[in-house]
Amino acid sequence: MKDKKIAFIGAGNMAAALIKGLIQDGHPAENITASDPDRDKLNLIGEQTGIGVNSDNSAAIADADVVVIAVKPQVIEAVASGISTAVAERQPLVISIAAGIPTSHLQQWLGETTAIVRSMPNTPAMLQAGATGLFAAANVNDEQHSLAESIMRAVGLTIWVEQESLIDAVTAVSGSGPAYFFLFMEHMIRAAKVLGLPEESAHLLTLQTALGASRMALESDDNPATLRTMVTSPGGTTEQAINTFETGGLEQLVMDAMRAARDRSVELSSQIQD
Ligand SMILES: NC(=O)c1ccc[n+]([C@@H]2O[C@H](COP(=O)([O-])OP(=O)(O)OC[C@H]3O[C@@H](n4cnc5c(N)ncnc54)[C@H](OP(=O)(O)O)[C@@H]3O)[C@@H](O)[C@H]2O)c1
């Protein structure tokens, strides 16, 4: 994988996170190129990482084995159409991280035979702690499958979905998910202050608890429900809080919220495609 040449089209936040993650993973900087219309952005990422930079998208992918399209969905049609000749000549694997753009549209703009992996990363990818959903078009071969996975793993965990429509569910879970936890933290901090704790203590206790709970859930063989039961003694303090959440309809609220996020993802995709 480290001998593969990777070209990033768009050198914004996500591309920078992926490039930094790949370099930390030992991918040679000389095998990575980025292109972007913003020369200052290109120079900065070039200086920070040692990768090659180019302001011409097609020139950037001339010898690429993998092309990562990391531009905003609004410009992707123009960008994809602009590189279609270079892609047809080189036949690289194309990974798109653009939200809401289906593989069928990418193949229409890039060429029907183009091997495409569509991915949905999330913002913690900036800290190499992301969670990314991946979907491969039918013509992606095993080697390209592993290649896409190794690239996206540079910024965190990867999960493949078998049907492209499930990318909307991934969006509702991990794409929007960081905000759900931030909201819960906000409410815990506010409540901790009402209970008398100073702002800083309320903040630190809440965040460290979220980190500790997440690490326990990730590192334990037990599922979250078992871990919760283990810390909920009958008649104790935690039980009082859990009963209050359950009586207040937390389970249904989470279901409704995630269904709303999934439905909005479907709606936004169809608006982008129109
Ligand atoms: N950020 C996230 O958490 C996140 C999560 C999931 C998915 N995504 C997806 O990731 C993609 C990139 O997001 P981002 O946050 O990294 O956006 P971003 O920071 O705005 O990066 C996009 C980059 O593409 C450049 N660009 C614009 N037109 C171009 C062209 N014709 N050729 C080459 N580059 C061009 C932009 O330059 P200018 O700034 O000069 O226009 C910008 O540097 C989006 O499609 C988004 O849906 C992002």
Side-chain angles (χ1 to χ4, degrees):
M1 136 85 181
K2 299 208 177 355
D3 59 332
K4 299 291 181 194
K5 293 197 176 349
I6 308 172
F8 285 83
I9 307 298
N13 295 317
M14 264 300 161
L18 278 161
I19 292 165
K20 287 173 189 164
L22 283 164
I23 287 174
Q24 268 176 27
D25 262 8
H27 201 91
E30 61 267 26
N31 286 348
I32 304 176
T33 306
S35 68
D36 196 287
D38 185 337
R39 197 71 230 181
D40 292 339
K41 204 179 281 180
L42 277 183
N43 289 341
L44 182 66
I45 195 152
E47 279 161 24
Q48 284 176 340
T49 62
I51 64 163
V53 295
N54 203 314
S55 48
D56 179 333
N57 292 342
S58 294
I61 67 176
D63 64 351
D65 301 299
V66 185
V67 172
V68 181
I69 302 187
V71 297
K72 292 281 188 204
Q74 293 77 3
V75 297
I76 198 163
E77 179 173 0
V79 166
S81 304
I83 58 172
S84 60
T85 306
V87 166
E89 276 165 19
R90 181 72 191 164
Q91 292 285 308
L93 166 68
V94 174
I95 302 174
S96 165
I97 65 167
I101 307 292
T103 51
S104 59
H105 281 56
L106 291 162
Q107 282 178 326
Q108 194 184 312
W109 301 322
L110 289 165
E112 296 298 333
T113 58
T114 312
I116 293 177
V117 168
R118 177 178 167 192
S119 73
M120 180 64 205
N122 65 1
T123 40
M126 311 285 178
L127 310 171
Q128 274 82 55
T132 299
L134 292 165
F135 170 77
N139 61 348
V140 172
N141 65 33
D142 288 348
E143 194 198 347
Q144 292 169 325
H145 215 267
S146 321
L147 199 50
E149 190 169 308
S150 336
I151 291 173
M152 297 313 294
R153 250 206 325 256
V155 288
L157 171 119
T158 52
I159 298 282
W160 288 94
V161 293
E162 294 296 324
Q163 298 156 36
E164 188 161 7
S165 59
L166 287 176
I167 288 284
D168 294 306
V170 169
T171 304
V173 181
S174 50
S176 302
Y180 313 158
F181 289 103
F182 297 147
L183 180 70
F184 204 79
M185 288 177 204
E186 277 173 68
H187 290 323
M188 277 185 67
I189 292 167
R190 202 166 294 135
K193 281 168 33 192
V194 171
L195 297 180
L197 287 169
E199 166 97 40
E200 199 192 350
S201 308
H203 184 89
L204 288 174
L205 287 171
T206 300
L207 269 55
Q208 180 66 21
T209 303
L211 175 68
S214 185
R215 279 196 55 195
M216 273 182 80
L218 275 167
E219 290 169 21
S220 167
D221 291 333
D222 294 317
N223 64 32
T226 306
L227 291 173
R228 173 174 57 79
T229 310
M230 280 158 52
V231 295
T232 310
S233 327
T237 57
T238 312
E239 188 184 63
Q240 287 300 310
I242 300 287
N243 286 347
T244 308
F245 285 135
E246 287 184 344
T247 313
L250 183 66
E251 184 179 357
Q252 189 60 47
L253 199 57
V254 170
M255 185 69 247
D256 293 347
M258 289 177 61
R259 209 187 290 281
R262 192 275 316 269
D263 292 350
R264 183 65 179 146
S265 174
V266 172
E267 198 173 69
L268 286 174
S269 291
S270 59
Q271 280 172 13
I272 291 168
Q273 290 159 44
D274 292 343

